[in-house]
Amino acid sequence: MGSSPEQRTGKEPGSQAGVPRHIAIIMDGNGRWAQMRGLPRVEGHRRGVEALRRTVDAASALGVNYLTVYSFSIENWRRPATEVSDLMGLIKFFVRRDLAELHRHGVRIRVVGSPDDVPPDVAALLSEAQETTRTNRGLNLVIAFNYGARQEIVQAARRIAEAVAAGTMRPEDVTEAAFARRLDTADIPDPDLVIRTSGELRLSNFLLWQSAYAEFVFTPVLWPDFSRGDLEAAVEAYRQRERRYGGLSMRAETPA
Ligand code: FPP
């Protein structure tokens, strides 16, 4: 999460021209997808896993370097116990079923979020997925699991406070870069494009610090229906945007 806005063009080395280096997705609408069909909510989540699988392939094919997906938020613990248990089951299913294939395709899996309260079997599988794929050089699939941006920011602040209290850091050492290094996403570039499906227009405690200069695409498509074409359309919308990072338009006329 290192680079400062000034240094970034949206066309960093490694990404293809105009393709965002890092796409982050709020995968929303699984429940409504199921409800519209008279199916249990878990069926929407199951289809959501298939949409995720498609999106990983599509992002790889586009030359995206990082894909972060919001798979379980800290707030999701408030859902009924059966739904929480279904979501835990699905993340295990996804890793068990797809890890070998993702590994073959060079995908590197990373997990961001709090380890607190994560069931040990889920934690073990997520560790295995990260360890197995650690040296892969293809798409970085970042799974935001038990993640909350405010909690992540508070934790970084606490780490800094502890370092200052211990005398290993001075207040003047507290810079944006020093702060970013203490977030879960320390070595992950900021998202260039954040997509939210299902027509909701909120960030819902997702990558608040990291999205400071991101472009946003909101689509009415429900996550289980999200297709390769939908990802391509979002990338096309991104390509049409002009990113200024607080500066002036490249197209702006210089006053005479
Ligand atoms: C939002 O839909 C989606 C979630 C809370 C979870 C997303 C999870 C998956 C796609 C599957 C599991 C993840 C992985 C990484 C395998 P919602 O239930 O809030 O939908 P609604 O707003 O229509 O009710």
Side-chain angles (χ1 to χ4, degrees):
M1 234 241 16
S3 49
S4 71
E6 295 77 16
Q7 294 165 326
R8 304 189 47 215
T9 62
K11 293 178 184 171
E12 288 77 7
S15 67
Q16 292 170 15
V19 172
R21 175 160 67 153
H22 182 174
I23 299 180
I25 307 186
I26 303 174
M27 310 181 289
D28 198 8
N30 296 347
R32 276 163 285 167
W33 184 96
Q35 198 177 12
M36 283 163 62
R37 290 162 177 78
L39 297 168
R41 289 177 59 83
V42 65
E43 196 51 37
H45 294 314
R46 278 198 197 107
R47 297 300 190 102
V49 174
E50 302 317 314
L52 172 62
R53 194 65 197 80
R54 283 197 295 278
T55 304
V56 168
D57 290 345
S60 288
L62 279 171
V64 171
N65 298 135
Y66 293 83
L67 175 70
T68 299
V69 291
Y70 206 4
S71 73
F72 191 86
S73 76
I74 285 187
E75 290 75 23
N76 284 156
W77 291 108
R78 296 187 197 138
R79 295 191 177 201
T82 48
E83 183 162 345
V84 169
S85 155
D86 287 340
L87 285 166
M88 295 295 155
L90 278 172
I91 189 116
K92 289 191 284 183
F93 165 78
F94 172 71
V95 174
R96 287 196 184 114
R97 187 192 66 176
D98 292 343
L99 177 58
E101 199 193 344
L102 293 171
H103 184 40
R104 258 200 314 282
H105 290 153
V107 173
R108 178 174 177 189
I109 296 176
R110 303 177 181 209
V111 179
V112 294
S114 166
D116 299 346
D117 306 320
V118 176
D121 54 345
V122 176
L125 270 172
L126 291 175
S127 293
E128 182 192 331
Q130 290 183 96
E131 195 43 44
T132 304
T133 62
R134 198 167 47 84
T135 58
N136 286 349
R137 288 287 165 262
L139 177 79
N140 288 275
L141 173 61
V142 184
I143 301 177
F145 183 75
N146 199 25
Y147 177 82
R150 284 186 170 182
Q151 292 82 353
E152 180 193 31
I153 289 169
V154 166
Q155 188 195 51
R158 191 176 299 138
R159 286 177 180 152
I160 286 178
E162 283 167 358
V164 171
T168 55
M169 197 174 184
R170 297 166 305 168
E172 57 268 36
D173 297 331
V174 183
T175 60
E176 284 188 25
F179 197 91
R181 277 198 298 278
R182 287 161 177 85
L183 296 169
D184 291 355
T185 51
D187 56 347
I188 297 171
D190 288 343
D192 303 293
L193 170 62
V194 176
I195 301 172
R196 183 170 190 151
T197 60
S198 90
E200 304 291 349
L201 308 178
R202 290 186 296 276
L203 212 39
S204 299
N205 206 17
F206 185 51
L207 300 179
L208 297 182
W209 170 282
Q210 298 86 341
S211 297
Y213 288 94
E215 296 292 333
F216 290 84
V217 167
F218 297 98
T219 167
V221 174
L222 301 177
W223 177 249
D225 289 330
F226 195 79
S227 66
R228 177 179 288 246
D230 294 318
L231 185 71
E232 288 169 355
V235 167
E236 190 46 39
Y238 167 85
R239 290 163 82 126
Q240 303 301 323
R241 309 267 175 95
E242 190 194 0
R243 304 183 77 192
R244 297 201 301 271
Y245 301 107
L248 291 179
S249 165
M250 300 286 280
R251 290 197 287 266
E253 300 284 332
T254 309

